[in-house]
Amino acid sequence: MNRYQTLTVDGYEEVVRCDNREAGFAAWIAIHNTNRGPALGGCRVWNYGSDEEAFFDVLRLSRGMTYKNSLAHLPLGGGKCVVRVDLGRVDRAHLFESVGEFVDTLGGRYITAEDVNSTVEDMAHVQRSTAHVATVGASGNPSPFTAYGVYCAIKAGILYTRGRKNLSGLRVAIQGVGETGGRLARLLASAGCNVVAADLSQERLDRLRSQVDAQVIGPADVHRCRCDIFSPCAMGGTLNHKTIPELRCALVAGSANNQLLNPSDGHLLDRLGIVYIPDYAANAGGVINISCEIDGEYDGERARIRTARIGETVTEILHRSVATRLPTSVVADAMAEELFKLEKVA
Ligand code: NAD
């Protein structure tokens, strides 16, 4: 049986903890802001080392979703669910049905979706207990949209900084060629880019090289590669005080979440004259696609058109950054805040 406890956290609309001893999990839902609409954010499942760690994660991630959803102009707020569980020791169907009950207690103010360690199949179990779940079918895998959004961000970045409409002949170093990075590599190769790829998985590199002509580089060296564009598409924190001075690129844009280890890293990139396209602006294609499922009847073409608007957002960020002499990371945060703090979207 789920037991609930409401927690008061400054700056958050609602934070609730759920414990279910029989099902073997603890979970937290944080609703950061709903000024633009119900809070959308995935359900992250992780065997956290402590409750504090899980709690910290749900606060950080739900806030990030407010910024991402707002900057993408979606009529959605930011929220997240994290589940602390050892997946090897629980009945998965029961777990996700119980998570669905938890989501349902928020009456639609929070909409869940898949995330790290939770799948579309798991969301079908969540759906047995609540209607407030996206990605149960029609919109499918978000990765193609995420990759396409990053591609649009890169095109806008190159147009703004170099006045070039095409990417032909540009060298792009991609860190991680999985679901999103692999697709991005294919899009860029089709546009005439020279792709340099790094991954920890030889299988993923082999697959990519069977599809496009890509040069392979070691994971430790990819950020040092001389190139036009460096694209972090693996894990977060890869832009930090150690790696940034080693970059030999003009532009950074990728799918990875939380690319900057610290906010000061956005300032460092700016000081070094490297144009950084903020991660949550570039990688919003997946959530834009999901929002098209929430909207009513899903239409893949509409999702693609909306994803392409990431290019306009990137142009606006770059324009404001030049005009105000502020780093793009600071500008993007301010733009998102304008969009979610002003007024409720009707
Ligand atoms: P994925 O697991 O399919 O691919 C990541 C790849 O990075 C894997 O092939 C992995 O082997 C590789 N990798 C890990 N560490 C590496 C390293 N140090 N150097 C080089 N390669 C490394 O994941 P994904 O779905 O492509 O997501 C990638 C990033 O994009 C994540 O940060 C994710 O949170 C973010 N993101 C994904 C989506 C989406 O739609 N999938 C949406 C928004 C953000």
Side-chain angles (χ1 to χ4, degrees), residues 291-299 302:
S291 77
C292 292
E293 178 162 334
I294 298 169
D295 251 13
E297 203 153 309
Y298 176 75
D299 175 352
R302 187 177 51 179

Side-chain angles (χ1 to χ4, degrees), residues 142-143 146 176 178-180 198-200 204 219 233-235 255-257 283:
S143 304
T146 304
E179 285 287 321
T180 55
D199 203 294
L200 302 179
R204 289 211 143 144
C233 296
M235 69 294 185
S255 65
N257 278 316
N283 73 13

Side-chain angles (χ1 to χ4, degrees), residues 3-8 15-19 27-29 102:
R3 289 177 191 78
Y4 303 108
Q5 186 190 354
T6 299
L7 310 165
T8 306
V15 183
V16 184
R17 175 183 174 136
C18 167
D19 286 278
W28 290 256
I29 290 175
F102 182 20

Side-chain angles (χ1 to χ4, degrees), residues 44 68 115-116 141-147 174-183 197-202 204-205 217-220 222 232-236 238 254-259 279 283-287:
R44 181 162 295 194
K68 185 186 289 200
D115 197 83
V116 176
N141 182 357
S143 304
F145 292 87
T146 304
I174 306 180
Q175 180 181 49
V177 286
E179 285 287 321
T180 55
R183 287 184 166 87
D199 203 294
L200 302 179
S201 154
Q202 189 57 42
R204 289 211 143 144
L205 289 168
I217 193 169
V222 63
C233 296
M235 69 294 185
T238 51
S255 65
N257 278 316
N258 306 314
Q259 291 169 25
D279 47 13
N283 73 13
V287 82

Side-chain angles (χ1 to χ4, degrees), residues 3-249:
R3 289 177 191 78
Y4 303 108
Q5 186 190 354
T6 299
L7 310 165
T8 306
V9 183
D10 260 5
Y12 289 76
E13 289 183 14
E14 204 166 349
V15 183
V16 184
R17 175 183 174 136
C18 167
D19 286 278
N20 188 326
R21 274 207 206 123
E22 303 76 32
F25 75 90
W28 290 256
I29 290 175
I31 297 178
H32 175 252
N33 188 289
T34 58
N35 281 357
R36 295 186 62 82
L40 171 69
C43 172
R44 181 162 295 194
V45 178
W46 198 255
N47 195 1
Y48 290 99
S50 66
D51 285 356
E52 290 68 29
E53 216 183 292
F55 181 61
F56 177 77
D57 219 23
V58 80
L59 296 186
R60 179 179 71 89
L61 294 167
S62 59
R63 185 173 181 276
M65 288 310 297
T66 301
Y67 281 76
K68 185 186 289 200
N69 294 343
S70 300
L71 198 61
H73 297 270
L74 300 177
L76 294 165
K80 200 85 184 179
C81 175
V82 308
V83 183
R84 182 183 179 199
V85 69
D86 180 351
L87 276 175
R89 301 172 68 119
V90 295
D91 171 350
R92 202 157 176 137
H94 185 209
L95 168 73
F96 283 100
E97 277 179 35
S98 305
V99 168
E101 283 172 27
F102 182 20
V103 170
D104 207 57
T105 63
L106 291 150
R109 289 189 300 287
Y110 167 67
I111 301 167
T112 199
E114 84 243 37
D115 197 83
V116 176
N117 284 332
S118 66
T119 63
V120 173
E121 292 74 42
D122 296 326
M123 290 305 119
H125 293 297
V126 169
Q127 198 188 21
R128 290 186 181 185
S129 313
T130 184
H132 308 299
V133 51
T135 67
V136 277
S139 67
N141 182 357
S143 304
F145 292 87
T146 304
Y148 178 60
V150 176
Y151 173 73
C152 295
I154 289 174
K155 281 198 81 163
I158 291 298
L159 181 61
Y160 192 87
T161 56
R162 300 203 185 169
R164 274 187 63 162
K165 278 199 174 154
N166 69 69
L167 303 177
S168 169
L170 296 181
R171 190 168 152 91
V172 189
I174 306 180
Q175 180 181 49
V177 286
E179 285 287 321
T180 55
R183 287 184 166 87
L184 177 66
R186 292 198 289 276
L187 287 169
L188 291 168
S190 312
C193 292
N194 300 314
V195 172
V196 182
D199 203 294
L200 302 179
S201 154
Q202 189 57 42
E203 193 190 326
R204 289 211 143 144
L205 289 168
D206 291 345
R207 191 186 316 156
L208 180 69
R209 291 189 73 188
S210 71
Q211 296 161 334
V212 299
D213 184 17
Q215 184 194 327
V216 169
I217 193 169
D221 294 322
V222 63
H223 71 279
R224 298 192 198 110
C225 170
R226 189 178 290 285
C227 58
D228 298 286
I229 302 147
F230 172 56
S231 187
C233 296
M235 69 294 185
T238 51
L239 300 173
N240 54 56
H241 71 280
K242 277 177 85 173
T243 58
I244 292 170
E246 294 178 339
L247 292 174
R248 292 155 86 196
C249 62

